[in-house]
């Protein structure tokens, strides 16, 4: 467990309580990681974090603050690179009872975002004063493996359609390569429908008819933006889980950040980290515990009396968590 900073420790403690209440025997190893620790140690990724993950191979992670435009590079990006967590997986589903603008639609999509390259390679350069270039790196290896990951998931879970999202009309070489790799992989999965959408059109379609999307397959930057857009369709960043998957390691984390505006007030919504823990329990083979936790969360939302402020309720983090634990059967 890497609680992180900001609201991280609050939602982490709530999540550990809820997971323990499922009966799953998790031996939590707590590793501290925060903007302060990073500034103090001058290590974006302190060795204690990597050492713990190397041993356990599975992590549940809260958010860590990243300074914008200055300071250290993103710890999340560093973690993904260090452990080669190449696939970012974000299921986006309508939860019962949440009042959103799209509450009457059954939204159920899974977003597969390439996690290691693209403009997130962090290769920026000031050519001369006031002229900066940033390198967009797209490789065949990384594009093929994220595409395979998405299609294999589709086959395993009986999903029907994969939509690759791109801007190859403008970035003909970079996004063109990504698309060619997606098409190549799609041919190996003839039973799964394959579609392509340009990212601007995809953004509009996602808002107009979100219920028609099944699996989405994107390079890193579009994936980052589109997954937050999709989170907004089902109630926002407080309710969407995520997983960073590699061959040897898996780190499950909420989509939201450290929310400095509400940190320390005991009002953060722990649903995103709890649902990330549901994904983690499934990954660990603790299927019954995963279902118990997921159903209990669904029950609390359907009932609506103990939900947090970000989605229109009045409950504190603790009250929500108590209600989830009480709803477990
Ligand atoms: P944010 O997600 O922290 O907050 C955006 C808004 O959503 C805020 O109003 C916040 O109060 C609200 N919010 C987010 N999570 C919530 C929750 N669980 N319950 C209730 N409300 C919630 O995004 P930001 O403000 O852009 O970023 C703040 C910091 O977090 C930045 O330093 C950023 O780099 C970092 N960040 C970290 C991660 C990560 O560690 N995975 C992800 C995104 C942002």
């Amino acid at each position: 467990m890497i609680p992180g900073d900001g609201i991280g420790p609050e939602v982490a403690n709530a999540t550990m309580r809820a997971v323990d209440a499922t009966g799953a025997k998790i031996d939590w190893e707590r590793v501290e990681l925060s903007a302060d620790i990073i500034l103090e140690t001058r290590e974006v990724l302190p060795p204690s974090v990597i050492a713990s993950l190397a041993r356990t191979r599975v992590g549940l992670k809260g958010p860590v603050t990243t300074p914008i435009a200055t300071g250290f590079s993103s710890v999340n990006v560093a973690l993904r690179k260090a452990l080669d967590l190449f696939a970012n997986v974000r299921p986006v589903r309508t939860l019962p009872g949440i009042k959103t603008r799209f509450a009457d639609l059954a939204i159920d999509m899974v977003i597969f975002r390439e996690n290691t390259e693209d403009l997130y390679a962090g290769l920026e350069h000031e050519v001369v004063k006031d002229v900066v270039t940033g390198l967009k790196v797209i490789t065949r290896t990384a594009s093929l493996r994220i595409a395979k990951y998405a299609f294999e998931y589709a086959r395993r879970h009986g999903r029907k359609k994969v939509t690759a999202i791109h801007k190859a009309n403008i970035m003909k070489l970079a996004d063109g390569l990504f698309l060619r790799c997606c098409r190549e992989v799609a041919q190996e999965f003839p039973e799964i429908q394959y579609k392509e959408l340009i990212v601007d059109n995809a953004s509009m379609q996602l808002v107009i008819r979100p219920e028609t999307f099944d699996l989405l397959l994107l390079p890193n930057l579009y994936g980052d933006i589109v997954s937050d857009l999709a989170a907004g369709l089902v109630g926002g960043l407080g309710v969407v889980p995520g997983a960073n998957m590699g061959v040897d390691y898996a780190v499950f984390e909420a989509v939201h950040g450290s929310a400095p505006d509400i940190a320390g007030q005991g009002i953060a919504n722990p649903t995103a980290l709890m649902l990330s823990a549901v994904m983690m329990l499934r990954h660990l083979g603790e299927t019954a515990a995963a279902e118990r936790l997921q159903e209990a969360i669904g029950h609390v939302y359907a009932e609506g009396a103990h939900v947090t402020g970000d989605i229109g309720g009045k409950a504190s983090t603790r009250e929500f968590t108590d209600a989830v634990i009480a709803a477990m059967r």
Side-chain angles (χ1 to χ4, degrees):
M1 167 59 87
I2 306 164
D5 59 16
I7 59 169
E10 298 163 53
V11 293
N13 288 337
T15 300
M16 287 191 285
R17 275 186 67 211
V19 170
D20 290 343
T22 64
K25 297 267 178 295
I26 304 289
D27 184 6
W28 300 101
E29 179 170 299
R30 199 179 160 113
V31 189
E32 300 304 330
L33 180 60
S34 67
D36 286 348
I37 291 176
I38 293 167
L39 286 170
E40 218 175 274
T41 60
R42 295 170 182 274
E43 301 249 27
V44 174
L45 214 48
S48 55
V49 175
I50 292 295
S52 173
L53 283 164
R55 204 165 40 243
T56 63
R57 291 169 171 248
V58 181
L60 186 61
K61 182 185 159 299
V64 178
T65 306
T66 309
I68 290 174
T70 60
F72 58 85
S73 60
S74 164
V75 55
N76 300 304
V77 173
L79 194 59
R80 290 167 195 169
K81 280 193 194 158
L83 300 179
D84 201 17
L85 304 170
F86 67 88
N88 186 278
V89 184
R90 297 186 182 180
V92 174
R93 288 193 190 101
T94 305
L95 275 165
I98 297 193
K99 288 181 200 66
T100 68
R101 288 170 192 275
F102 302 90
D104 54 333
L105 299 175
I107 298 170
D108 180 9
M109 60 181 103
V110 188
I111 300 175
F112 293 85
R113 160 186 168 199
E114 201 292 321
N115 223 3
T116 61
E117 54 179 26
D118 196 347
L119 281 159
Y120 288 59
L123 300 173
E124 293 188 312
H125 173 63
E126 187 166 34
V127 184
V128 290
K129 190 177 177 311
D130 293 340
V131 180
V132 172
T133 59
L135 277 187
K136 170 160 167 147
V137 179
I138 300 284
T139 65
R140 180 173 156 80
T141 306
S143 303
L144 282 177
R145 73 179 175 173
I146 187 67
K148 275 201 182 109
Y149 197 87
F151 275 94
E152 276 163 8
Y153 180 101
R155 184 172 274 171
R156 242 189 353 265
H157 292 86
R159 308 286 296 221
K160 302 269 175 295
K161 182 169 74 177
V162 172
T163 306
I165 295 176
H166 65 95
K167 191 80 188 173
N169 50 330
I170 303 296
M171 278 155 275
K172 293 176 193 292
L173 284 181
D175 286 16
L177 173 59
F178 178 78
L179 263 195
R180 278 203 307 282
C181 293
C182 295
R183 285 174 193 165
E184 205 174 305
V185 173
Q187 287 186 341
E188 296 167 29
F189 296 82
E191 80 278 17
I192 294 156
Q193 195 192 336
Y194 172 67
K195 272 190 68 174
E196 293 170 357
L197 281 178
I198 296 174
V199 63
D200 34 356
N201 179 25
S203 306
M204 181 188 70
Q205 301 288 344
L206 272 164
V207 176
I208 293 182
R209 44 182 84 89
E211 75 283 8
T212 63
F213 285 83
D214 194 355
L215 304 191
L216 281 69
L217 170 57
L218 310 95
N220 208 340
L221 177 62
Y222 311 144
D224 194 3
I225 298 166
V226 165
S227 51
D228 271 24
L229 186 158
L233 302 171
V234 298
L237 295 172
V239 298
V240 176
N244 294 294
M245 309 296 291
V247 175
D248 296 319
Y249 303 98
V251 177
F252 299 84
E253 67 173 337
V255 178
H256 61 73
S258 53
D261 54 336
I262 58 163
Q265 297 175 30
I267 57 169
N269 186 353
T271 304
L273 199 61
M274 285 187 187
L275 289 174
S276 305
V278 168
M279 295 176 81
M280 179 191 77
L281 288 168
R282 288 221 162 86
H283 175 76
L284 294 173
E286 295 276 357
T287 313
E291 269 157 28
R292 242 178 140 203
L293 180 52
Q294 185 163 16
E295 277 166 26
I297 294 167
H299 180 86
V300 171
Y301 275 98
E303 187 212 35
H306 298 99
V307 295
T308 47
D310 54 315
I311 48 158
K314 289 201 172 67
S316 65
T317 310
R318 171 165 280 279
E319 284 160 352
F320 173 84
T321 309
D322 289 344
V324 168
I325 292 169
M328 281 180 205
R329 276 166 296 212

